[in-house]
Amino acid sequence: MQKERSFIFIITYGRSGSTVLQSVLQAIPGYFVRGENMNALFPLYQASKAAHTARYTHGKNPHAADNPWYGANEINPESYTKKLLGSFVSEILRPPAEARVVGFKEIRFHEAGPDEFEPFLNFIHGNFAGCKFVFNTRPWEEVARSGWWANMKPERVQEIISAADTLYADYLKKYPVRAIHLRHEVTRADPKAFEPLFEFLGETYDEDMVAAVAGKRLGHSGV
């Protein structure tokens, strides 16, 4: 019988070196880590939240057929959520059967905003087995010179990146066993800086493999 797979999520913003991190994880035997999906998981979180509110706020008791909340008591938000997330895995991530750790990287998690970021990640953690988060950051001054960020005012880039970094730091402080924080300016300078990541994941660190993968220049960036 196949052991239940676990999940990993790279949480970051654009031009942070996260594709290198994704590649390093993808190189671990049994890992299957996708790229971005336009934050497709967030609307599913919102749908699940709406179903729970409908059932447990407005459907506590049966309603007559002429009531605005008729049938709300028969909503099954748990089953609904399970099926939504099952479809996300099978149709968005589409992992091979042999994958033992599955996940993706996304640069839009912080767009949930300060009120929803923590609940969103808690939703993910509560519904994906063995869930682990990897926060990946880069100094805003470097981000501001890269890709589309260069077309924005530096103060606006600083505002966005600083807000995201604060969300990450606050979550990691509150839930330290769930996540690890990697800094691109550190990992790009030394492959051994990835070693704590492997320890966090319970995987064997292979410096030669990491150096080969992390040292490969990516065609989409100057990262």
Side-chain angles (χ1 to χ4, degrees), residues 194-208:
F194 282 102
E195 190 167 8
L197 171 64
F198 282 72
E199 293 175 359
F200 172 66
L201 299 175
E203 303 292 344
T204 300
Y205 176 69
D206 183 339
E207 185 172 355
D208 291 338

Side-chain angles (χ1 to χ4, degrees), residues 11-13 16-18 20-21 134-139 142 165 168-169 172 180-194 196-197 223:
I11 301 172
T12 189
Y13 32 77
S16 67
S18 59
V20 174
L21 172 57
V134 181
F135 295 115
N136 189 69
T137 64
R138 187 183 186 189
E142 295 183 8
D165 287 348
Y168 303 167
L172 185 58
I180 188 171
H181 177 197
L182 298 183
R183 294 173 172 82
H184 179 62
E185 68 274 20
V186 177
T187 56
R188 75 180 174 200
D190 182 6
K192 285 189 69 65
F194 282 102
L197 171 64
V223 173

Side-chain angles (χ1 to χ4, degrees), residues 70-153:
Y70 173 60
N73 63 299
E74 296 185 17
I75 294 173
N76 188 333
E78 292 77 21
S79 177
Y80 176 61
T81 298
K82 184 177 180 179
K83 290 177 180 178
L84 282 178
L85 299 185
S87 293
F88 176 82
V89 173
S90 64
E91 305 303 327
I92 301 295
L93 299 184
R94 303 179 68 85
E98 66 272 16
R100 60 186 178 90
V101 179
V102 174
F104 65 95
K105 73 114 168 178
E106 181 56 69
I107 65 173
R108 300 168 181 86
F109 278 102
H110 62 277
E111 293 179 2
D115 293 332
E116 291 282 47
F117 182 78
E118 180 183 337
F120 179 32
L121 264 58
N122 288 346
F123 168 79
I124 295 172
H125 187 269
N127 286 285
F128 288 90
C131 174
K132 292 183 182 297
F133 299 121
V134 181
F135 295 115
N136 189 69
T137 64
R138 187 183 186 189
W140 75 265
E141 297 91 343
E142 295 183 8
V143 172
R145 297 193 296 267
S146 183
W148 67 90
W149 295 104
N151 297 320
M152 299 175 63
K153 293 182 178 180

Side-chain angles (χ1 to χ4, degrees), residues 20-49:
V20 174
L21 172 57
Q22 173 193 336
S23 299
V24 169
L25 290 172
Q26 184 78 346
I28 300 174
Y31 275 58
F32 186 80
V33 183
R34 290 286 196 187
E36 300 161 33
N37 53 56
M38 291 298 297
N39 211 15
L41 198 52
F42 186 65
L44 304 189
Y45 155 71
Q46 293 178 307
S48 174
K49 182 179 178 181

